[in-house]
Amino acid sequence: EMRTLVSSLNSGSPSASEKTEVENQIAALVEDIDSIASGTTFNGKALLDGSIYNGGAGSYKFQPGINSGDFLDIAEAYKDNSASKLNVDGLQVQNQTQRDNAIADIDAALDLLAENRGYVSQYTKSLESREGYLTGYNEHLASAESRLRDADLATEALSLSQTQIRRDAVAGMFFQQYGISDYLLALL
């Protein structure tokens, strides 16, 4: 939008008030950029103000996998996206040279944002890939757990049957030894 505002002044002869109005609109957009850069947070950490990246020395790690050493450092994706870092704060458009410089600065900012968006996209794809792996892992784990429960149930059923057979055999021997009739045995 900034580029469009500046470019609109290059057609015809803009008045001083039109130039001032464009500078005011650009200033409002700069405030929006800084508000987004400072207000975009995750777990209480600002993502777009450069504090995570810290000139390449920063670190912001996630553990997206199941192994203890499986970390993904995403600090590179969150460079400083403030208006001052993008070099779009204080743009002036009163003469043609200033407008040409403003367009060049805006283009450079757009290139930097595209690069940063590329890093974010790269890490997003990596996280999505790991999510797919973990989803499959969890499905296999649940299936294995179900098979173990089924095996445990079968083992317990077998143990119960063996116990009942032994009980019936002992009861039969007891009744046979003491001469209790088959009728009473059947009742048990």
Side-chain angles (χ1 to χ4, degrees):
E1 192 172 334
M2 281 186 191
R3 193 174 200 296
T4 303
L5 288 170
V6 174
S7 295
S8 70
L9 295 176
N10 285 337
S11 56
S13 298
S15 67
S17 64
E18 290 174 324
K19 295 174 191 174
T20 302
E21 179 59 28
V22 166
E23 285 182 349
N24 290 339
Q25 289 178 11
I26 289 173
L29 291 171
V30 164
E31 287 179 24
D32 288 345
I33 290 170
D34 284 337
S35 174
I36 291 168
S38 64
T40 303
T41 62
F42 178 75
N43 281 344
K45 291 189 177 193
L47 295 176
L48 302 177
D49 69 350
S51 60
I52 290 176
Y53 183 65
N54 194 19
S59 179
Y60 196 59
K61 294 181 179 181
F62 283 99
Q63 183 178 351
I66 56 173
N67 299 321
S68 63
D70 189 10
F71 287 104
L72 181 64
D73 191 348
I74 62 166
E76 187 174 21
Y78 295 103
K79 295 179 180 176
D80 192 348
N81 288 294
S82 65
S84 61
K85 184 65 177 179
L86 296 173
N87 201 27
V88 292
D89 60 336
L91 294 178
Q92 296 180 349
V93 294
Q94 296 299 319
N95 60 50
Q96 187 62 47
T97 302
Q98 289 176 339
R99 289 192 291 271
D100 290 343
N101 289 339
I103 288 175
D105 288 344
I106 292 168
D107 287 343
L110 291 172
D111 289 343
L112 182 59
L113 288 173
E115 178 184 334
N116 292 348
R117 192 173 359 177
Y119 286 122
V120 171
S121 177
Q122 169 190 347
Y123 290 118
T124 299
K125 287 180 192 237
S126 177
L127 287 171
E128 287 171 350
S129 171
R130 291 170 190 227
E131 177 191 22
Y133 168 76
L134 291 174
T135 299
Y137 179 82
N138 284 336
E139 289 172 0
H140 292 301
L141 188 62
S143 175
E145 183 180 14
S146 175
R147 286 191 301 269
L148 286 173
R149 284 185 188 161
D150 291 346
D152 286 346
L153 183 61
T155 301
E156 291 300 320
L158 178 63
S159 176
L160 178 62
S161 295
Q162 288 174 341
T163 302
Q164 288 172 338
I165 291 170
R166 285 185 189 128
R167 183 197 67 202
D168 291 346
V170 168
M173 288 187 297
F174 176 78
F175 290 128
Q176 194 173 33
Q177 181 178 357
Y178 293 107
I180 299 177
S181 72
D182 288 338
Y183 175 72
L184 288 176
L185 185 60
L187 289 176
L188 293 175

